[in-house]
Amino acid sequence: MKKHYAVIFVCLLFSCSGNVSDCEEYSEPYYSRSIFKQVPHNTRISGENISIRKAFQDVVNSETEIEPQNGFITLKLHLDKFGNFCNQESFQIDEDYQQTEFNNGQLIKNLEYISSNLAGWMNDTETKTFYLLRLKIKDGKIEEIF
Amino acid sequence: MKKFFKIIGIVIGVVLVLIIGLGIYANVKGNKVNKYRQELAQRVESFKSTDSDEYMEYSVSINKGGDFNKGFQYLNKAVELNPKSHLGYRGWMRLRKLRDYDKALIDFDKLDSLTPNFVDAPWGENIDFLRGECYFGKKDYEKAIQMFNRNIENQKEDWADIYSFVYLGLCEYELGNYENAIKEYQRGLNQFEHLCEAYYGMAKAYYKLGNLEEAKINVLKAEVRIQYKRKDVYNEFLNEIYIEELLEFKENLNKHG
């Protein structure tokens, strides 16, 4: 009888561990470090920012009449511990840092399509992290991506 | 044998008591910290706090998370309450996180006016160096050169940020003064022999001058020193170089013979 209770107890113990998918884990900031070893996550993409700028080159060339003309876009990419894309958030602000929507929301759709398809992400700690991509809009064009 | 199990039992008992005790302590401490954080959040989010440092600290994680609209609301309040303490940081954030060169310059100039006869160092970086970067970002290379030279003059050649020389080289290059660019890069290399940005800059300048041999030599020197490049886990620097671009440049040079 005692053995049965022990087996039930062990089963209950393991059932409490839960089953969280890779994308449901909490996203550590890309700049932070792992808790115990204090190793930087070092989230990055193969080819670094050169690859990122190349990926956005077509939209940079085509979007030349952006309204409002000046502002900033931040894409917050959530990547699982293996570097696979999970989801993203976006922040669009004008030159006074007030919330806005460039081209009535159309620009962000184009940008998010590209960012969601970026491949080659990796990190050094097998941790789910987020990464920030920033775009600067100046005089109606995408002036910088960094 | 019985005594052995008795001792084991006592040891396990003591360890369990310690674990439970630590757990209770951690829980109480955690509750206190949570309560403090909740009260801080309430004070700051309602703008009832009169402590500029609280607004500045609260803005940090929000801005680092990419929500600059929200983060700057608190950072702006910090500057309003204590401009001398927080203008430099706000200017630095505008430059590094957003590349908002115009507004960064406004902040740096305002801070400088509040502290006459004192060379400020927003977030630990010389104010003239940062202003130089702003002008470089705006492509106002003449003004950038002025700022970087002022920085070197104030800090002295062997104490100034070595990237002042790299930026001077970059500015001269953009203005078409390739020989001057090489001289500036050489000044940087006199301070740090592994300054890979300087070697890459020299390679490009030599290429423009038609000296393919020197261009090849210098791009190779840059390539083997890439681990020394200027980089930061938070932000891409304006003058940051990448191995991919070095290799592409080297390949182009080889195609030219």
Side-chain angles (χ1 to χ4, degrees):
Chain A
M1 193 63 180
K2 280 184 188 173
K3 274 187 193 171
H4 294 310
Y5 283 133
V7 168
I8 291 165
F9 175 73
V10 167
C11 287
L12 278 172
L13 194 64
F14 278 101
S15 72
C16 291
S17 61
N19 197 15
V20 177
S21 75
D22 291 333
C23 279
E24 286 171 353
E25 290 174 0
Y26 170 72
S27 284
E28 294 285 335
Y30 63 96
Y31 50 81
S32 64
R33 293 165 175 255
S34 58
I35 296 173
F36 297 110
K37 291 184 183 173
Q38 287 296 297
V39 173
H41 300 305
N42 194 20
T43 306
R44 63 202 181 278
I45 192 170
S46 172
E48 298 174 288
N49 277 7
I50 305 288
S51 295
I52 292 172
R53 285 191 270 269
K54 277 183 183 165
F56 284 95
Q57 195 55 51
D58 286 345
V59 80
V60 168
N61 292 339
S62 61
E63 296 283 358
T64 56
E65 289 176 7
I66 299 170
E67 283 290 340
Q69 290 207 321
N70 302 302
F72 309 90
I73 295 174
T74 304
L75 297 168
K76 187 173 181 179
L77 277 58
H78 293 270
L79 308 162
D80 75 15
K81 60 188 175 189
F82 303 114
N84 300 310
F85 176 84
C86 286
N87 62 311
Q88 62 186 318
E89 302 167 67
S90 60
F91 304 95
Q92 303 177 68
I93 54 175
D94 63 19
E95 59 187 347
D96 295 316
Y97 302 9
Q98 300 305 305
Q99 286 179 344
T100 190
E101 283 207 325
F102 292 98
N103 290 354
N104 297 315
Q106 197 52 49
L107 178 63
I108 198 69
K109 283 183 191 167
N110 296 339
L111 296 174
E112 284 181 341
Y113 176 76
I114 296 166
S115 56
S116 62
N117 285 297
L118 289 170
W121 291 104
M122 60 193 103
N123 68 62
D124 292 343
T125 56
E126 276 199 13
T127 309
K128 182 171 181 259
T129 56
F130 70 79
Y131 191 87
L132 298 182
L133 284 183
R134 282 156 281 182
L135 298 94
K136 180 178 171 182
I137 314 295
K138 179 94 176 152
D139 299 329
K141 295 175 191 171
I142 299 172
E143 188 179 71
E144 298 196 63
I145 302 172
F146 58 103
Chain B
M1 201 65 180
K2 264 189 187 174
K3 209 173 182 180
F4 173 73
F5 282 114
K6 201 174 178 181
I7 293 167
I8 293 286
I10 292 168
V11 167
I12 291 174
V14 166
V15 167
L16 275 171
V17 164
L18 277 170
I19 289 172
I20 291 166
L22 269 169
I24 293 170
Y25 172 76
N27 191 44
V28 167
K29 188 91 179 166
N31 284 341
K32 273 188 184 168
V33 168
N34 281 339
K35 195 180 171 196
Y36 168 77
R37 280 187 184 152
Q38 276 169 2
E39 286 168 0
L40 170 68
Q42 257 181 337
R43 275 200 308 278
V44 168
E45 288 174 11
S46 63
F47 292 96
K48 283 184 181 163
S49 172
T50 54
D51 186 336
S52 67
D53 288 341
E54 286 188 347
Y55 287 107
M56 180 271 186
E57 282 158 19
Y58 199 74
S59 75
V60 171
S61 61
I62 299 172
N63 281 327
K64 278 182 174 173
D67 191 354
F68 298 109
N69 161 252
K70 194 171 169 190
F72 268 79
Q73 285 177 28
Y74 302 119
L75 188 49
N76 290 344
K77 186 67 180 176
V79 170
E80 183 190 308
L81 288 171
N82 192 341
K84 263 193 207 175
S85 290
H86 302 296
L87 264 172
Y89 175 68
R90 191 175 71 177
W92 184 90
M93 285 291 289
R94 292 195 202 270
L95 168 61
R96 289 267 182 268
K97 302 290 181 187
L98 291 161
R99 297 196 179 175
D100 187 353
Y101 309 120
D102 291 325
K103 286 205 168 73
L105 278 168
I106 290 170
D107 279 351
F108 292 144
D109 289 345
K110 176 78 180 164
L111 175 64
D112 207 22
S113 72
L114 292 174
T115 56
N117 303 317
F118 180 76
V119 180
D120 299 284
W123 220 235
E125 298 192 67
N126 185 280
I127 194 168
D128 293 316
F129 179 82
L130 294 172
R131 285 197 281 209
E133 283 201 300
C134 289
Y135 283 115
F136 180 82
K138 281 163 63 72
K139 298 182 172 41
D140 187 345
Y141 301 116
E142 301 275 6
K143 195 77 181 173
I145 286 171
Q146 197 185 330
M147 287 294 136
F148 288 121
N149 275 329
R150 190 194 294 180
N151 175 46
I152 293 167
E153 202 181 300
N154 284 336
Q155 303 295 305
K156 307 296 174 230
E157 190 120 343
D158 48 355
W159 277 101
D161 191 318
I162 52 166
Y163 295 103
S164 304
F165 304 104
V166 172
Y167 274 116
L168 283 170
L170 286 166
C171 290
E172 294 287 3
Y173 178 88
E174 293 296 334
L175 291 169
N177 306 326
Y178 306 120
E179 278 162 1
N180 280 351
I182 290 167
K183 280 183 193 160
E184 296 296 357
Y185 290 132
Q186 200 57 60
R187 280 172 83 193
L189 285 165
N190 291 342
Q191 302 303 324
F192 179 53
E193 60 180 327
H194 298 304
L195 194 58
C196 57
E197 291 88 351
Y199 283 119
Y200 182 46
M202 282 166 68
K204 286 167 71 177
Y206 276 121
Y207 176 72
K208 286 288 190 184
L209 289 168
N211 192 335
L212 283 181
E213 211 49 53
E214 279 296 326
K216 284 179 188 175
I217 290 168
N218 282 286
V219 77
L220 271 171
K221 285 183 180 177
E223 190 186 334
V224 301
R225 287 166 175 79
I226 196 67
Q227 73 265 35
Y228 295 103
K229 79 164 200 172
R230 186 188 189 203
K231 62 182 178 187
D232 178 70
V233 70
Y234 295 98
N235 314 297
E236 180 190 62
F237 288 113
L238 289 176
N239 66 327
E240 189 159 347
I241 62 172
Y242 296 96
I243 186 68
E244 290 79 15
E245 61 185 299
L246 291 184
L247 294 175
E248 201 176 305
F249 183 74
K250 194 172 81 169
E251 202 182 304
N252 283 340
L253 284 177
N254 290 335
K255 280 182 189 168
H256 280 92

